[in-house]
Amino acid sequence: KGYALFQSKMNTVTDPNEIRSLMAGILSDKVQFDLDVKSVLAGQNASFAMSFKPTQALVELARSNTPMPQPSPADIEKYFDSFAVSFTLPKAYFIEQGLNVERLRPGFDADAAKKQLEGAFMQGTMMATMMVPAQFQPIIKLEKDVVTFNLSYKNKVLNINGKEMSIADALRALGQ
């Protein structure tokens, strides 16, 4: 019952303070929060998943009237026991989604749009890779026309696509 009320309120609330109040009501260091979104298009599965378990420090901060600080990578150890983010994006899925949007444009040319979307997929993949420090490579993986990304944190260790590092090493790589 409480979750249903929370969900219905979250669908209508836009004030950041009210959102914080709602989140503080369910936040606990004894609970792990999970979000898992899957979609199928053109026979391809795309997915996005996120989970986190807050520390008591984050719970107390959310329940206080203290302004939320500007997030910093250094806050990871302070506010999270664990978290994970992952996504999978097949090239065919990306192109089909793009074609669905392009079909709405006057003068739609399927072949030209598909060629443009294929280029955008590859260019986006390369740019995402080039913008990240070498210590985090590969930040995204492209294998068999599927982009994947996996980031997790547990026991004070970051894991980026299977490559483990400490928070201190990650902060040094980011120049902090």
Side-chain angles (χ1 to χ4, degrees):
K1 182 178 177 183
Y3 174 74
L5 176 62
F6 169 78
Q7 188 176 22
S8 67
K9 291 281 279 177
M10 282 302 288
N11 289 334
T12 59
V13 172
T14 57
D15 176 32
N17 291 324
E18 194 171 349
I19 292 171
R20 179 180 179 174
S21 176
L22 286 168
M23 289 300 294
I26 65 161
L27 202 57
S28 166
D29 64 339
K30 311 250 184 299
V31 176
Q32 178 167 313
F33 297 87
D34 297 303
L35 170 68
D36 195 6
V37 178
K38 293 184 180 359
S39 179
V40 178
L41 184 65
Q44 299 292 313
N45 296 317
S47 64
F48 172 79
M50 178 181 77
S51 68
F52 72 94
K53 184 172 184 209
T55 62
Q56 186 60 34
L58 182 58
V59 172
E60 289 171 5
L61 179 63
R63 292 180 178 165
S64 74
N65 288 327
T66 306
M68 294 297 265
Q70 183 68 27
S72 160
D75 292 333
I76 292 172
E77 289 181 0
K78 183 176 180 181
Y79 293 127
F80 295 96
D81 278 337
S82 63
F83 69 81
V85 177
S86 66
F87 73 81
T88 301
L89 180 62
K91 181 178 173 182
Y93 182 96
F94 174 84
I95 290 170
E96 192 61 33
Q97 283 288 36
L99 288 173
N100 287 339
V101 171
E102 291 296 319
R103 284 183 183 100
L104 302 173
R105 297 180 194 268
F108 169 71
D109 178 343
D111 291 333
K114 185 175 181 181
K115 189 173 185 174
Q116 185 178 13
L117 288 163
E118 286 174 348
F121 181 84
M122 295 309 294
Q123 186 176 15
T125 302
M126 288 188 316
M127 286 187 66
T129 301
M130 291 173 19
M131 294 170 44
V132 175
Q135 295 90 328
F136 297 116
Q137 297 297 347
I139 192 71
I140 60 172
K141 290 183 179 180
L142 176 61
E143 294 175 350
K144 298 182 181 177
D145 286 337
V146 177
V147 172
T148 58
F149 170 77
N150 293 290
L151 169 70
S152 63
Y153 169 76
K154 189 172 185 173
N155 299 326
K156 300 187 182 217
V157 175
L158 276 176
N159 185 315
I160 302 172
N161 290 328
K163 184 176 183 179
E164 292 186 349
M165 67 178 64
S166 69
I167 295 292
D169 288 343
L171 292 173
R172 274 192 292 282
L174 292 170
Q176 296 191 19

